[in-house]
Amino acid sequence: MRRNAQFRFLGLLLPILGILVDGCGSNSRVLAQPDFVLNASATSVTLTPGGSAVPVTLTATAENGFSGTIQVAVSGLPTGVTATPATVSLTVGSPQQMSFAASATAATSTVTAQFVGTSGMLSHTAPVSVSVAAVTGRDVVTYHYDVARTGLNSTETTLTTANVTSSKFGLLKTLPVDGVVDAQPLFLASLTAGGQQRNLLFVETEHDSVYAFDADSGTQIWKSTILGTNETTSGDHNCNQISPEIGITATPVIDRHAGAHGAIFVVGMSLDSGGASHQRLHALDVTTGAELSGSPKEIQATYPGTGANSSGGNVVFDPAQYAERAGILLLNGVLYMGWTSHCDEEPYTGWLMGYNETTLAQTSVLNLTPNGSEGSIWMAGAGLAADSSGNIYFLDANGTFDTTLDANGFPVNHDYGNGFMKISTAGGTLAVADYFEMDNTTSESGADEDLGSGGALVLPDITDTSGVVHHLAVGAGKDGHIYIANRDSMGKFNPSNNNALYQEINGGGGGVWAMPAYFNNTVYYGAVGDYLKAYPIANAKIATSPSQQSASTFGYPGTTPSVTANGTSNGIVWAVENSSPAVLHAYDATSLQELYNSNQAANNRDQFGNGNKFITPIVANGKLYVGTPNSVAVFGLLP
């Protein structure tokens, strides 16, 4: 009975097998179904949060005459990683790309994801290891390291007070460029550009060029010009303050997470073939230098008033009359910029403008002297500063100030020349929230002895011995006094005295054409013809005389120091002397004893060209970068 059942089963099975049988006898064979193999050009990808997308090429190999279409998706990606496009349609002989990118908030991780290809009932996978790597190194995306403009990099672990000596530290290379470097260089760590992950240094010139260099090898990765067709840079307007040409003067700002790969925002001045002046805001991709969507944006503005260069009840922004010198401030998605004149060539007034960083649309305009004249924003290239509440601080230059005040203590005609300014950005509108004017402001403006030559620094919150927290800002200009303002009550104007100001110090030296730095409860100033001085803070007050000073002095325009440290240890104050040749100094931050200067090594080993009055040195990942009239000098530990 069992034997007969087996025969009956075989009788049912044979017709089915016959479908797959070709030929007869000993040469019979089973027909194979059409199929495919899915292939990926990479078995692993490494991504940086907020960095460039990494492409992978997918191909299909046919088996047994397969000619169908394969839908490929990816599964198992880590949180924060996306694939673009999410699916691809793949045919044999037609490769397709899928790119992976990690968001700015993606956590460090490594997972094995799968490319999954399906065609009808067929399905095959190809594995890919996806790693999100931590960003290593300190980005420098804005003037003086942060929006408070402290000048402090407290994450430097390579350079110490022990190894910054002429035997161990010095000039590594110079990176030549096509014009004067007035803008401070910027730096991004671990960015994928030029086909690999690298540290990038960004350099801008007065020839309207933007460069990206590999910060370690010095290789130029890309160069972009922001000049329009048949345009040239502007001449110097018979003013030697920015000379011999005017292109990019202000320090740009970088948003690592803007656009597809990150963006650098730059303002440039140019002349078209008809001789008309242009000021434009540009947004460039940090990995390629290409203009982003909506870029560039022509800068134009009007503001209600009857002051200099007004028409029909509005003051009008004339791009020929201005240069954008103060470093750009990126605050809550808005790019803020201030404008200065060429020397004191009238007519001009004081302009502050805001632009949306995504659309580049103008969001707000404020004029500081709408019913007067002058009062521009110079600050020797220092950046507009900001606090955590979204207020902007800067020092306004000599110009009209209305000594007649309204009931709230504000000038009746809204003219704030020579003021220490606090500007609110609430509601997307620029408005004067508070200010301070010296009791002799009118005479100072008349004598061109104003605040506008210096930059403002927003100090960290400081607690006095009674436990009271103070919110302070510090600034100084041409009169040699250091003004410390309470950001909650700046002091406004009293023609009799400055008693409403939080604190005033007679610096005892020359005027300030620079800005200070802050480290470890100490403010560092380098005035014209003066020593670099350290002013300690105790009981929420800045000392009225310095605790330490450098052995050497600094000629015009003084010096804008930067500070590096590992937390609160190994503090080094870096300062550049505007001389011929320029001199880089490094001082112990505690004692201001000199550790190194670029004239110490034999045979002029570390000399790096002539000085440049606007430039501020930066340090990132163990290297120092400083601009010159035709290059950027790179210093670090000697090989």
Side-chain angles (χ1 to χ4, degrees):
M1 184 68 76
R2 182 180 302 133
R3 188 181 180 88
N4 290 334
Q6 290 173 341
F7 280 119
R8 283 197 300 271
F9 174 74
L10 287 172
L12 294 171
L13 181 61
L14 284 173
I16 298 172
L17 291 174
I19 298 172
L20 303 177
V21 174
D22 177 34
C24 59
S26 61
N27 292 323
S28 298
R29 61 187 177 86
V30 176
L31 286 176
Q33 290 181 307
D35 206 346
F36 69 90
V37 176
L38 182 62
N39 303 291
S41 62
T43 58
S44 65
V45 295
T46 300
L47 309 172
T48 302
S52 303
V54 177
V56 176
T57 301
L58 301 169
T59 57
T61 303
E63 290 187 341
N64 305 316
F66 176 85
S67 60
T69 299
I70 307 161
Q71 299 299 318
V72 183
V74 63
S75 64
L77 290 175
T79 301
V81 174
T82 55
T84 305
T87 61
V88 296
S89 294
L90 191 64
T91 57
V92 174
S94 298
Q96 298 290 331
Q97 274 194 349
M98 184 178 285
S99 295
F100 296 101
S103 70
T105 57
T108 302
S109 62
T110 299
V111 303
T112 299
Q114 297 286 342
F115 292 108
V116 181
T118 58
S119 181
M121 300 296 292
L122 301 173
S123 180
H124 295 288
T125 63
V128 57
S129 175
V130 180
S131 297
V132 179
V135 174
T136 57
R138 165 70 184 261
D139 288 349
V140 182
V141 298
T142 193
Y143 180 84
H144 237 197
Y145 295 108
D146 52 48
V147 298
R149 312 307 185 192
T150 63
L152 172 62
N153 174 0
S154 61
T155 62
E156 176 55 44
T157 59
T158 300
L159 301 179
T160 69
T161 54
N163 62 26
V164 177
T165 65
S166 60
S167 63
K168 299 177 181 179
F169 177 89
L171 181 67
L172 301 179
K173 58 177 71 75
T174 56
L175 308 177
V177 293
D178 62 8
V180 178
V181 181
D182 280 330
Q184 174 200 284
L186 300 175
F187 181 95
L188 287 180
S190 304
L191 185 74
T192 301
Q196 69 183 68
Q197 191 175 83
R198 61 181 88 229
N199 298 320
L200 279 190
L201 180 74
F202 299 87
V203 180
E204 302 74 37
T205 74
E206 294 288 0
H207 199 62
D208 270 330
S209 295
V210 183
Y211 292 78
F213 293 97
D214 184 306
D216 300 307
S217 69
T219 302
Q220 181 181 308
I221 306 304
W222 55 259
K223 174 189 175 184
S224 292
T225 179
I226 61 171
L227 290 170
T229 303
N230 297 323
E231 288 188 346
T232 64
T233 55
S234 170
D236 63 11
H237 295 254
N238 297 313
C239 173
N240 64 5
Q241 292 170 342
I242 307 172
S243 186
E245 60 181 343
I246 304 175
I248 302 170
T249 305
T251 299
V253 67
I254 292 175
D255 186 345
R256 190 176 188 122
H257 311 307
H261 312 120
I264 180 169
F265 298 94
V266 180
V267 172
M269 185 176 186
S270 62
L271 293 177
D272 63 26
S273 57
S277 295
H278 298 269
Q279 304 277 358
R280 297 191 185 98
L281 170 63
H282 298 257
L284 307 180
D285 185 297
V286 293
T287 63
T288 65
E291 299 267 7
L292 299 182
S293 176
S295 176
K297 176 67 70 173
E298 195 84 23
I299 293 172
Q300 301 170 324
T302 61
Y303 192 83
T306 58
N309 200 43
S310 62
S311 176
N314 289 289
V315 286
V316 180
F317 178 81
D318 178 357
Q321 288 296 105
Y322 297 92
E324 209 259 321
R325 186 187 298 185
I328 300 173
L329 169 66
L330 175 57
L331 186 65
N332 299 325
V334 179
L335 301 156
Y336 293 102
M337 57 197 72
W339 300 88
T340 185
S341 64
H342 309 290
C343 291
D344 286 318
E345 297 174 6
E346 297 202 41
Y348 70 93
T349 52
W351 293 92
L352 185 67
M353 304 179 194
Y355 285 80
N356 181 284
E357 70 161 323
T358 302
T359 66
L360 301 189
Q362 190 178 82
T363 60
S364 52
V365 177
L366 177 66
N367 194 289
L368 282 304
T369 49
N371 296 296
S373 65
E374 303 187 351
S376 61
I377 304 172
W378 304 54
M379 298 205 303
L384 299 166
D387 64 20
S388 59
S389 298
N391 298 301
I392 299 173
Y393 300 83
F394 58 90
L395 303 176
D396 198 52
N398 54 293
T400 304
F401 175 73
D402 310 321
T403 56
T404 301
L405 309 179
D406 64 19
N408 296 312
F410 292 91
V412 291
N413 293 320
H414 315 292
D415 297 319
Y416 291 90
N418 196 24
F420 196 155
M421 305 303 302
K422 175 182 179 179
I423 307 298
S424 169
T425 63
T429 300
L430 289 168
V432 177
D434 204 355
Y435 73 98
F436 167 72
E437 292 271 350
M438 297 78 67
D439 54 7
N440 62 339
T441 185
T442 301
S443 61
E444 279 201 356
S445 280
D448 194 27
E449 195 178 55
D450 53 286
L451 283 176
S453 61
L457 188 161
V458 173
L459 290 169
D461 290 353
I462 299 172
T463 304
D464 64 21
T465 54
S466 300
V468 176
V469 177
H470 297 263
H471 309 118
L472 306 177
V474 59
K478 299 175 187 175
D479 65 7
H481 288 228
I482 300 173
Y483 298 96
I484 302 95
N486 174 1
R487 303 196 316 262
D488 301 323
S489 179
M490 297 279 286
K492 296 188 173 66
F493 172 69
N494 183 332
S496 301
N497 56 62
N498 294 334
N499 293 346
L501 181 70
Y502 181 81
Q503 189 181 2
E504 180 179 357
I505 298 170
N506 187 338
V512 172
W513 274 258
M515 78 163 294
Y518 169 86
F519 169 66
N520 204 20
N521 287 316
T522 304
V523 174
Y524 299 89
Y525 258 109
V528 173
D530 201 0
Y531 306 94
L532 177 67
K533 295 177 178 179
Y535 292 87
I537 300 172
N539 195 23
K541 293 279 190 177
I542 296 179
T544 57
S545 59
S547 60
Q548 307 290 342
Q549 64 182 36
S550 62
S552 56
T553 59
F554 293 81
Y556 178 81
T559 189
T560 293
S562 293
V563 183
T564 59
N566 184 4
T568 58
S569 64
N570 277 306
I572 300 174
V573 182
W574 305 89
V576 177
E577 187 178 343
N578 180 33
S579 52
S580 297
V583 184
L584 171 66
H585 298 265
Y587 299 97
D588 184 297
T590 302
S591 64
L592 287 188
Q593 293 296 305
E594 189 168 68
L595 305 170
Y596 164 88
N597 76 62
S598 55
N599 281 342
Q600 289 175 337
N603 302 315
N604 301 325
R605 183 196 70 191
D606 294 344
Q607 291 187 0
F608 58 101
N610 291 337
N612 182 15
K613 64 181 180 180
F614 287 146
I615 202 64
T616 302
I618 65 160
V619 175
N621 279 20
K623 293 185 177 66
L624 180 142
Y625 306 93
V626 57
T628 80
N630 56 16
S631 69
V632 169
V634 183
F635 288 80
L637 297 181
L638 300 171

Short mmCIF file of all heavy atoms in Angstrom, two decimals, residues 151-193:
data_model
loop_
_atom_site.label_atom_id
_atom_site.label_comp_id
_atom_site.label_asym_id
_atom_site.label_seq_id
_atom_site.Cartn_x
_atom_site.Cartn_y
_atom_site.Cartn_z
N GLY A 151 36.92 86.95 21.76
CA GLY A 151 38.27 86.65 21.29
C GLY A 151 38.88 85.44 21.95
O GLY A 151 40.10 85.24 21.88
N LEU A 152 38.05 84.57 22.56
CA LEU A 152 38.56 83.45 23.35
C LEU A 152 38.23 82.12 22.68
O LEU A 152 37.07 81.82 22.41
CB LEU A 152 37.95 83.47 24.75
CG LEU A 152 38.23 82.25 25.64
CD1 LEU A 152 39.73 82.09 25.90
CD2 LEU A 152 37.46 82.36 26.96
N ASN A 153 39.29 81.32 22.45
CA ASN A 153 39.15 79.91 22.08
C ASN A 153 39.65 79.11 23.27
O ASN A 153 40.86 78.97 23.49
CB ASN A 153 39.96 79.59 20.83
CG ASN A 153 39.97 78.11 20.50
OD1 ASN A 153 39.36 77.28 21.18
ND2 ASN A 153 40.68 77.74 19.43
N SER A 154 38.72 78.57 24.06
CA SER A 154 39.09 77.86 25.29
C SER A 154 39.18 76.35 25.09
O SER A 154 39.20 75.60 26.05
CB SER A 154 38.06 78.15 26.39
OG SER A 154 36.78 77.70 26.00
N THR A 155 39.26 75.91 23.83
CA THR A 155 39.32 74.47 23.53
C THR A 155 40.63 74.08 22.84
O THR A 155 40.70 73.04 22.19
CB THR A 155 38.13 74.05 22.65
OG1 THR A 155 38.20 74.76 21.39
CG2 THR A 155 36.81 74.35 23.32
N GLU A 156 41.65 74.91 22.96
CA GLU A 156 42.92 74.64 22.31
C GLU A 156 43.79 73.73 23.18
O GLU A 156 44.17 74.10 24.30
CB GLU A 156 43.66 75.95 22.01
CG GLU A 156 45.04 75.77 21.42
CD GLU A 156 45.05 74.91 20.16
OE1 GLU A 156 44.16 75.09 19.30
OE2 GLU A 156 45.93 74.05 20.06
N THR A 157 44.07 72.54 22.68
CA THR A 157 44.83 71.55 23.46
C THR A 157 46.25 71.34 22.95
O THR A 157 47.06 70.72 23.64
CB THR A 157 44.09 70.20 23.45
OG1 THR A 157 43.93 69.75 22.10
CG2 THR A 157 42.73 70.32 24.12
N THR A 158 46.57 71.82 21.76
CA THR A 158 47.89 71.58 21.18
C THR A 158 48.92 72.61 21.62
O THR A 158 50.03 72.28 22.06
CB THR A 158 47.81 71.56 19.65
OG1 THR A 158 46.92 70.50 19.24
CG2 THR A 158 49.18 71.32 19.03
N LEU A 159 48.57 73.89 21.50
CA LEU A 159 49.51 74.96 21.81
C LEU A 159 49.45 75.29 23.29
O LEU A 159 48.38 75.54 23.85
CB LEU A 159 49.19 76.20 20.97
CG LEU A 159 49.23 76.00 19.45
CD1 LEU A 159 48.87 77.28 18.74
CD2 LEU A 159 50.59 75.47 19.00
N THR A 160 50.62 75.29 23.94
CA THR A 160 50.70 75.52 25.38
C THR A 160 51.77 76.56 25.67
O THR A 160 52.58 76.91 24.80
CB THR A 160 51.05 74.22 26.13
OG1 THR A 160 52.41 73.85 25.81
CG2 THR A 160 50.11 73.08 25.73
N THR A 161 51.80 77.01 26.90
CA THR A 161 52.83 77.96 27.30
C THR A 161 54.22 77.33 27.29
O THR A 161 55.22 78.05 27.27
CB THR A 161 52.54 78.52 28.70
OG1 THR A 161 52.37 77.42 29.61
CG2 THR A 161 51.26 79.36 28.70
N ALA A 162 54.28 76.01 27.26
CA ALA A 162 55.58 75.33 27.23
C ALA A 162 56.12 75.15 25.82
O ALA A 162 57.34 75.18 25.61
CB ALA A 162 55.46 73.97 27.92
N ASN A 163 55.23 74.97 24.83
CA ASN A 163 55.76 74.68 23.49
C ASN A 163 55.68 75.86 22.52
O ASN A 163 56.19 75.77 21.40
CB ASN A 163 55.10 73.43 22.89
CG ASN A 163 53.60 73.57 22.70
OD1 ASN A 163 53.07 74.65 22.56
ND2 ASN A 163 52.90 72.43 22.71
N VAL A 164 55.05 76.96 22.91
CA VAL A 164 55.07 78.14 22.04
C VAL A 164 56.35 78.92 22.34
O VAL A 164 56.37 79.90 23.10
CB VAL A 164 53.81 79.00 22.24
CG1 VAL A 164 53.87 80.27 21.39
CG2 VAL A 164 52.56 78.20 21.85
N THR A 165 57.42 78.42 21.76
CA THR A 165 58.74 79.04 21.87
C THR A 165 59.37 79.01 20.47
O THR A 165 58.95 78.24 19.62
CB THR A 165 59.65 78.27 22.84
OG1 THR A 165 59.89 76.96 22.31
CG2 THR A 165 59.00 78.13 24.22
N SER A 166 60.38 79.81 20.26
CA SER A 166 60.98 79.89 18.92
C SER A 166 61.66 78.60 18.51
O SER A 166 61.89 78.38 17.32
CB SER A 166 61.97 81.06 18.86
OG SER A 166 63.01 80.88 19.80
N SER A 167 61.98 77.72 19.46
CA SER A 167 62.61 76.44 19.10
C SER A 167 61.58 75.39 18.70
O SER A 167 61.93 74.40 18.05
CB SER A 167 63.45 75.92 20.27
OG SER A 167 62.64 75.66 21.40
N LYS A 168 60.33 75.59 19.08
CA LYS A 168 59.30 74.58 18.81
C LYS A 168 58.15 75.08 17.95
O LYS A 168 57.41 74.27 17.38
CB LYS A 168 58.74 74.06 20.14
CG LYS A 168 59.75 73.40 21.04
CD LYS A 168 59.13 72.97 22.36
CE LYS A 168 60.16 72.32 23.28
NZ LYS A 168 59.55 71.91 24.58
N PHE A 169 58.01 76.38 17.85
CA PHE A 169 56.85 76.99 17.20
C PHE A 169 57.33 78.01 16.18
O PHE A 169 58.32 78.72 16.42
CB PHE A 169 55.97 77.66 18.25
CG PHE A 169 54.77 78.40 17.72
CD1 PHE A 169 53.56 77.76 17.54
CD2 PHE A 169 54.86 79.75 17.41
CE1 PHE A 169 52.45 78.44 17.06
CE2 PHE A 169 53.76 80.45 16.93
CZ PHE A 169 52.55 79.79 16.75
N GLY A 170 56.64 78.10 15.04
CA GLY A 170 57.05 79.09 14.07
C GLY A 170 56.20 79.06 12.82
O GLY A 170 55.14 78.42 12.76
N LEU A 171 56.65 79.78 11.80
CA LEU A 171 55.94 79.88 10.53
C LEU A 171 56.04 78.58 9.77
O LEU A 171 57.14 78.08 9.50
CB LEU A 171 56.52 81.03 9.70
CG LEU A 171 55.88 81.30 8.34
CD1 LEU A 171 54.45 81.81 8.52
CD2 LEU A 171 56.71 82.30 7.54
N LEU A 172 54.90 78.03 9.40
CA LEU A 172 54.87 76.78 8.63
C LEU A 172 54.77 77.04 7.14
O LEU A 172 55.41 76.35 6.34
CB LEU A 172 53.68 75.91 9.08
CG LEU A 172 53.65 75.51 10.55
CD1 LEU A 172 52.40 74.68 10.85
CD2 LEU A 172 54.91 74.73 10.93
N LYS A 173 53.94 78.00 6.75
CA LYS A 173 53.76 78.30 5.32
C LYS A 173 52.99 79.60 5.19
O LYS A 173 52.40 80.10 6.16
CB LYS A 173 53.00 77.18 4.61
CG LYS A 173 51.62 76.89 5.21
CD LYS A 173 50.88 75.80 4.44
CE LYS A 173 51.48 74.45 4.63
NZ LYS A 173 51.16 73.85 5.94
N THR A 174 52.99 80.15 4.00
CA THR A 174 52.11 81.27 3.66
C THR A 174 51.25 80.84 2.48
O THR A 174 51.73 80.16 1.56
CB THR A 174 52.89 82.55 3.32
OG1 THR A 174 53.81 82.27 2.25
CG2 THR A 174 53.64 83.07 4.53
N LEU A 175 50.00 81.24 2.49
CA LEU A 175 49.06 80.89 1.44
C LEU A 175 48.79 82.15 0.62
O LEU A 175 48.10 83.06 1.09
CB LEU A 175 47.76 80.37 2.06
CG LEU A 175 47.91 79.25 3.10
CD1 LEU A 175 46.55 78.88 3.68
CD2 LEU A 175 48.58 78.04 2.47
N PRO A 176 49.34 82.25 -0.59
CA PRO A 176 49.18 83.48 -1.38
C PRO A 176 47.76 83.65 -1.89
O PRO A 176 47.08 82.69 -2.25
CB PRO A 176 50.16 83.27 -2.54
CG PRO A 176 50.32 81.79 -2.65
CD PRO A 176 50.18 81.25 -1.26
N VAL A 177 47.30 84.91 -1.90
CA VAL A 177 45.98 85.25 -2.42
C VAL A 177 46.13 86.49 -3.30
O VAL A 177 47.22 87.05 -3.43
CB VAL A 177 44.96 85.47 -1.29
CG1 VAL A 177 44.68 84.18 -0.55
CG2 VAL A 177 45.45 86.55 -0.32
N ASP A 178 45.00 86.95 -3.89
CA ASP A 178 45.08 87.97 -4.93
C ASP A 178 44.80 89.39 -4.45
O ASP A 178 44.61 90.29 -5.27
CB ASP A 178 44.13 87.63 -6.08
CG ASP A 178 42.67 87.59 -5.64
OD1 ASP A 178 42.37 87.96 -4.49
OD2 ASP A 178 41.83 87.15 -6.46
N GLY A 179 44.79 89.61 -3.13
CA GLY A 179 44.53 90.96 -2.64
C GLY A 179 44.77 91.07 -1.16
O GLY A 179 45.20 90.11 -0.50
N VAL A 180 44.48 92.24 -0.62
CA VAL A 180 44.66 92.49 0.81
C VAL A 180 43.64 91.67 1.60
O VAL A 180 42.46 91.61 1.24
CB VAL A 180 44.49 93.98 1.13
CG1 VAL A 180 44.61 94.24 2.62
CG2 VAL A 180 45.52 94.80 0.36
N VAL A 181 44.09 91.04 2.68
CA VAL A 181 43.21 90.27 3.55
C VAL A 181 42.87 91.15 4.75
O VAL A 181 43.61 91.23 5.72
CB VAL A 181 43.87 88.95 4.01
CG1 VAL A 181 42.91 88.16 4.90
CG2 VAL A 181 44.28 88.12 2.81
N ASP A 182 41.74 91.85 4.67
CA ASP A 182 41.27 92.67 5.78
C ASP A 182 40.30 91.90 6.67
O ASP A 182 40.19 92.18 7.86
CB ASP A 182 40.59 93.94 5.26
CG ASP A 182 41.60 95.01 4.85
OD1 ASP A 182 42.70 95.04 5.43
OD2 ASP A 182 41.30 95.80 3.94
N ALA A 183 39.57 90.97 6.10
CA ALA A 183 38.63 90.15 6.87
C ALA A 183 39.39 89.07 7.64
O ALA A 183 40.39 88.54 7.16
CB ALA A 183 37.61 89.50 5.94
N GLN A 184 38.92 88.76 8.82
CA GLN A 184 39.53 87.68 9.61
C GLN A 184 39.26 86.34 8.94
O GLN A 184 38.14 86.06 8.50
CB GLN A 184 38.92 87.67 11.01
CG GLN A 184 39.39 86.51 11.88
CD GLN A 184 38.44 86.25 13.03
OE1 GLN A 184 38.44 86.98 14.00
NE2 GLN A 184 37.61 85.22 12.92
N PRO A 185 40.27 85.46 8.81
CA PRO A 185 40.01 84.12 8.28
C PRO A 185 39.01 83.36 9.15
O PRO A 185 38.87 83.62 10.35
CB PRO A 185 41.39 83.45 8.31
CG PRO A 185 42.37 84.59 8.32
CD PRO A 185 41.70 85.68 9.10
N LEU A 186 38.32 82.41 8.55
CA LEU A 186 37.37 81.53 9.24
C LEU A 186 37.77 80.08 9.01
O LEU A 186 38.56 79.78 8.12
CB LEU A 186 35.94 81.79 8.76
CG LEU A 186 35.41 83.22 8.97
CD1 LEU A 186 34.04 83.37 8.35
CD2 LEU A 186 35.39 83.60 10.44
N PHE A 187 37.20 79.17 9.80
CA PHE A 187 37.70 77.79 9.83
C PHE A 187 36.56 76.82 10.12
O PHE A 187 35.74 77.06 11.01
CB PHE A 187 38.76 77.68 10.94
CG PHE A 187 39.41 76.34 11.10
CD1 PHE A 187 40.61 76.05 10.48
CD2 PHE A 187 38.83 75.37 11.90
CE1 PHE A 187 41.23 74.82 10.67
CE2 PHE A 187 39.44 74.13 12.09
CZ PHE A 187 40.65 73.86 11.46
N LEU A 188 36.50 75.74 9.34
CA LEU A 188 35.57 74.64 9.61
C LEU A 188 36.36 73.35 9.75
O LEU A 188 37.19 73.02 8.90
CB LEU A 188 34.54 74.49 8.50
CG LEU A 188 33.43 75.53 8.41
CD1 LEU A 188 32.50 75.22 7.25
CD2 LEU A 188 32.63 75.62 9.71
N ALA A 189 36.08 72.61 10.80
CA ALA A 189 36.74 71.33 11.05
C ALA A 189 35.94 70.20 10.42
O ALA A 189 34.71 70.23 10.38
CB ALA A 189 36.89 71.09 12.55
N SER A 190 36.65 69.20 9.93
CA SER A 190 36.06 67.93 9.47
C SER A 190 34.91 68.15 8.50
O SER A 190 33.80 67.68 8.71
CB SER A 190 35.57 67.13 10.69
OG SER A 190 36.60 66.91 11.61
N LEU A 191 35.21 68.83 7.41
CA LEU A 191 34.21 69.09 6.38
C LEU A 191 34.59 68.31 5.13
O LEU A 191 35.76 68.30 4.72
CB LEU A 191 34.14 70.58 6.06
CG LEU A 191 33.06 71.00 5.07
CD1 LEU A 191 31.69 70.96 5.73
CD2 LEU A 191 33.34 72.42 4.56
N THR A 192 33.61 67.64 4.51
CA THR A 192 33.87 66.91 3.28
C THR A 192 33.85 67.89 2.11
O THR A 192 32.82 68.50 1.81
CB THR A 192 32.84 65.80 3.05
OG1 THR A 192 32.88 64.91 4.16
CG2 THR A 192 33.14 65.04 1.78
N ALA A 193 34.99 68.07 1.48
CA ALA A 193 35.12 68.98 0.33
C ALA A 193 36.27 68.51 -0.53
O ALA A 193 37.25 67.96 -0.02
CB ALA A 193 35.36 70.42 0.80
#
